[in-house]
Amino acid sequence: MKLVVTAGTGIAAVGCALAAVNRMTVRRLGARATAVIEPVTVCVPARDEAGRLPGLIADLQAQRGISRLRVLILDDASTDGTNAAALDAIGDDLRFTLLDSAAGPGPGWTGKTAACARLAEFAYSTDDSAATPTGVLVFLDADVRLAPEALAAAVGELRSSGAALVSPWPYQRTGSRAEALVQPLLCWSWASTLPIATANRSLRPSTVVSCGQFLALDAAAYRAAGGHAAVAGAVTEDLALARLLRRAGHRTALVAAGRLASTRMYSGATELDDGYTRWLWSAYGSPIGSVAVGALAGLAYLVPPLAAILGRGATRRLGLLGYACAVTGRLLTRSLESGRRPRRADATAALAHPASIAAYLTLSTRSHLRHRAGTLQWKGRTLPAPTAHPSAAP
């Protein structure tokens, strides 16, 4: 028993150390004084986002430092009044174009990937230099909120880094206990396992970290690599797109953007459950990969707290140390994500880290079972099987 607890505590300690390194070394997206003079096209796929989209539109209208900004929004066959809400929010702002898509994604396409591909194709077709796209493409989810300097900062980071893709990681806001338990695991999952400063300099697809909520891409590199059409059936299209670019010889980079961008990814336990269940099956390449990761997570973050409660003497002390490392790592990554000191709510959630891991294991298992049964859905659409081949058009 002591040997098992020692192994778990050792893994937790390594995760805490990596979180500390990333807290000190990950680049932060900050406001830049230099104006952006190249064209910037923002692409927003929106399906049933009537309640969220107007807020993003207002944030985009308030952006500073970009003289050649245009925004393309695709109403992806929404049923909740997204189109009317968008039109009302846009008003007479000629920088915005609202597109409609009554048809769903084609065979082998996921809904968001198809919507992003349509947006990119429209951007090409209306670009004066469409044969060789210029400027920057920015993909944003409708639930993202931006400070007025966010877009200019993202474009500046893209150009100064020399990368083909920059992923500004937004602060993941939470509004319920279920969200507070699970959402911080997104940042923690990479910040406690991968040295990002090193990964950002690598071309290895296996070290990619990317967040599709906010992506800034070199338009020419994106199109040359095949864009979203090349990852049509990917459930996690953000990671697939970044890996595609790395295989084509381009660097991709992650930066912390919590001071300029935030999002509430899911609202409430039901939406969170549905959201994670739809994609966790794909997180580690195969069921065997998920089992291996789950076993390590259980060893590192469930065994030590159990030993702290049930063990005695040295075993109990080891368990307490492992639990302390887990809580500290969780707080460090929350601070990395937000760009500030953790709040009291963050500390409370960090203390419940074992429950977070248990929730993750439950969601992962459910995702694999539903994927195997072919019953995965998102926003009313059945997700494509991984063996499906995409049609020529989304």
Side-chain angles (χ1 to χ4, degrees):
M1 178 63 181
K2 184 178 178 181
L3 183 61
V4 175
V5 176
T6 300
T9 295
I11 297 171
V14 170
C16 181
L18 276 171
V21 169
N22 282 322
R23 177 64 180 83
M24 293 183 291
T25 60
V26 170
R27 287 182 58 81
R28 295 191 176 279
L29 195 68
R32 292 172 176 263
T34 304
V36 176
I37 60 174
E38 64 181 312
V40 177
T41 301
V42 175
C43 300
V44 182
R47 177 170 170 82
D48 294 340
E49 297 286 5
R52 293 165 167 166
L53 187 56
L56 175 61
I57 291 173
D59 289 348
L60 289 171
Q61 290 173 327
Q63 291 301 298
R64 297 194 289 258
I66 300 181
S67 58
R68 300 169 66 186
L69 173 67
R70 64 171 177 163
V71 179
L72 307 178
I73 300 171
L74 178 70
D75 175 16
D76 188 14
S78 298
T79 60
D80 69 341
T82 291
N83 194 288
L87 285 173
D88 185 60
I90 291 169
D92 58 358
D93 195 327
L94 299 179
R95 297 173 299 173
F96 287 72
T97 301
L98 179 61
L99 309 172
D100 293 320
S101 176
W109 288 76
T110 61
K112 181 180 177 181
T113 307
C116 289
R118 289 192 182 100
L119 287 161
E121 285 301 319
F122 185 86
Y124 300 149
S125 67
T126 55
D127 189 341
D128 292 337
S129 55
T132 305
T134 58
V136 175
L137 286 175
V138 175
F139 290 92
L140 283 170
D141 282 359
D143 52 17
V144 173
R145 295 295 171 266
L146 301 172
E149 305 82 12
L151 285 186
V155 174
E157 184 66 28
L158 178 74
R159 293 316 188 197
S160 64
S161 69
L165 176 152
V166 164
S167 178
W169 187 277
Y171 173 59
Q172 303 291 323
R173 292 181 283 108
T174 61
S176 68
R177 290 181 181 178
E179 294 167 62
L181 200 65
V182 175
Q183 278 304 105
L185 291 180
L186 274 180
C187 179
W188 172 83
S189 67
W190 54 259
S192 63
T193 57
L194 189 67
I196 295 300
T198 301
N200 282 350
R201 295 191 294 269
S202 173
L203 290 180
R204 295 179 61 186
S206 61
T207 63
V208 154
V209 181
S210 183
C211 179
Q213 297 164 333
F214 189 175
L215 294 175
L217 299 109
D218 176 79
Y222 168 85
R223 189 172 194 185
H228 281 87
V231 296
V235 178
T236 50
E237 83 295 330
D238 46 3
L239 294 174
L241 186 60
R243 289 168 182 153
L244 178 75
L245 287 164
R246 286 197 174 187
R247 292 189 186 101
H250 300 289
R251 285 195 307 105
T252 70
L254 177 86
V255 294
R259 293 175 180 172
L260 299 181
S262 67
T263 182
R264 186 177 178 186
M265 188 173 177
Y266 302 123
S267 298
T270 299
E271 191 172 301
L272 181 144
D273 190 331
D274 292 342
Y276 279 101
T277 299
R278 74 183 168 94
W279 66 267
L280 273 178
W281 65 267
S282 68
Y284 301 104
S286 68
I288 294 176
S290 290
V291 169
V293 170
L296 283 174
L299 176 62
Y301 303 109
L302 295 181
V303 170
L306 285 174
I309 297 171
L310 304 175
R312 294 182 179 181
T315 298
R316 184 172 186 270
R317 290 192 293 273
L318 277 170
L320 285 170
L321 176 60
Y323 174 64
C325 287
V327 172
T328 302
R330 174 83 170 247
L331 290 172
L332 285 167
T333 58
R334 195 61 168 158
S335 176
L336 164 63
E337 183 179 59
S338 67
R340 60 170 183 269
R341 295 178 62 182
R343 297 174 176 175
R344 180 177 297 178
D346 297 324
T348 301
L351 290 171
H353 190 63
S356 297
I357 297 301
Y360 156 74
L361 293 174
T362 300
L363 290 168
S364 180
T365 300
R366 186 177 301 155
S367 180
H368 278 283
L369 291 174
R370 291 184 182 175
H371 174 249
R372 185 174 181 179
T375 59
L376 288 176
Q377 291 189 337
W378 181 242
K379 293 191 175 181
R381 288 173 174 163
T382 299
L383 297 179
T387 54
H389 295 283
S391 59

